[in-house]
Amino acid sequence: MADHEPQPDERPRPKFGELAPPGWVWTPPEYVDRLDTARPNPTAPDEATAPPSPAPYGSTPRPGHPSAGPHGATPGTTTPPRWNTTFTVLLIAFGFFGMAYSVVVLQGFPASMAILHSSQGLGDFHPEPLVGTLVTIGTLTMTGLWAVSTGLAVWQLLRRRMSFYIPLVAGIVAMVALFVFLAVILTTDPVLLDFYSGLMPASPAPSAPATP
C-alpha cells in the first residue's frame, strides 16, 4: 500500500516569469477539492457591494440610511395630504374667533341676567359671589382649550402627521363647556329659574299716567 502513495515532488518550482524546467509537470494536491474554511470564499459578496442590513425592529433609521424613505421618512409612515395643513390652519383661526366669542358671552352673561330682571319686572338682580368665580374659570377654560389644541396641532404639522382633528375636537369640547358654564351660572338665580319654569308670571311694566 505504501508503494502506491504519491511521493512529494522535490524539484524546484518555477518562479513567476520563469520557464519550467524540462520534464516538470505540476500535479494538484489531493486536498484541492476539500472545503477550506480558512480561505475567503470567492463567491461571497463583497462588503462594499453587499446590500445594507435592515434596521433593527423598533429603531428609527437615520435620514441617510438606505432603509429610510424620501425626506428622511421611515417606511410605514405616510405623508399627510395637503388639505390637512389648510384645513388645520382654518380650524385654528375659526377656533380663535369662537374662543373670543365664548369669552365675551361669559363676561356679559351676568349683565344679561340683570337686563332680564329689569325688563320682566323680576326685581333687582343681585348676583351670587360664585358667579364671578364661574366666569373666571370659564374664561380660563376657553382660552386654555384653544391654546393647547393649537400647540398640539402645530406640533403634529411639524411631524408631518394628520392634525385637523385636534382643533375640531377642541371646538366641540369648548362648545359643550360653554353651555355647561352658562347653565351653572343660571342656576345661581332662582328667580330666573322660576320665571322660565312658569312658576312666576312676569309683572306688567308700569305704564305712564294718562294726561287729561
Side-chain angles (χ1 to χ4, degrees):
M1 298 296 293
D3 297 338
H4 297 284
E5 294 181 359
Q7 300 296 330
D9 190 358
E10 299 180 353
R11 292 177 296 175
R13 295 185 179 183
K15 299 180 180 180
F16 181 77
E18 182 183 4
L19 297 177
W24 188 88
V25 179
W26 178 77
T27 303
E30 298 178 358
Y31 56 81
V32 68
D33 296 331
R34 293 186 303 175
L35 178 63
D36 191 355
T37 58
R39 298 181 181 180
N41 188 4
T43 60
D46 191 6
E47 294 182 357
T49 59
S53 58
Y57 179 78
S59 61
T60 303
R62 298 187 302 272
H65 197 274
S67 61
H71 306 290
T74 58
T77 58
T78 58
T79 304
R82 293 183 178 180
W83 61 262
N84 175 67
T85 303
T86 305
F87 198 36
T88 302
V89 173
L90 290 177
L91 286 176
I92 290 175
F94 182 76
F96 174 79
F97 291 106
M99 178 268 298
Y101 178 76
S102 300
V103 170
V104 170
V105 171
L106 280 173
Q107 296 289 339
F109 194 63
S112 301
M113 295 170 65
I115 293 175
L116 284 174
H117 270 263
S118 61
S119 63
Q120 301 297 331
L122 302 177
D124 296 334
F125 174 67
H126 301 286
E128 296 290 335
L130 183 60
V131 173
T133 304
L134 290 173
V135 170
T136 303
I137 295 176
T139 301
L140 294 177
T141 302
M142 298 295 111
T143 308
L145 281 174
W146 180 83
V148 172
S149 63
T150 300
L152 290 177
V154 172
W155 182 53
Q156 288 290 87
L157 285 176
L158 294 178
R159 296 179 60 196
R160 299 180 181 274
R161 303 288 180 86
M162 298 297 290
S163 57
F164 75 95
Y165 63 91
I166 297 178
L168 185 62
V169 173
I172 297 174
V173 173
M175 183 181 299
V176 174
L178 175 62
F179 284 107
V180 170
F181 279 108
L182 294 179
V184 174
I185 293 174
L186 187 61
T187 56
T188 61
D189 189 356
V191 176
L192 279 180
L193 288 179
D194 292 341
F195 171 72
Y196 283 112
S197 301
L199 301 178
M200 178 183 294
S203 301
S207 57
T211 56

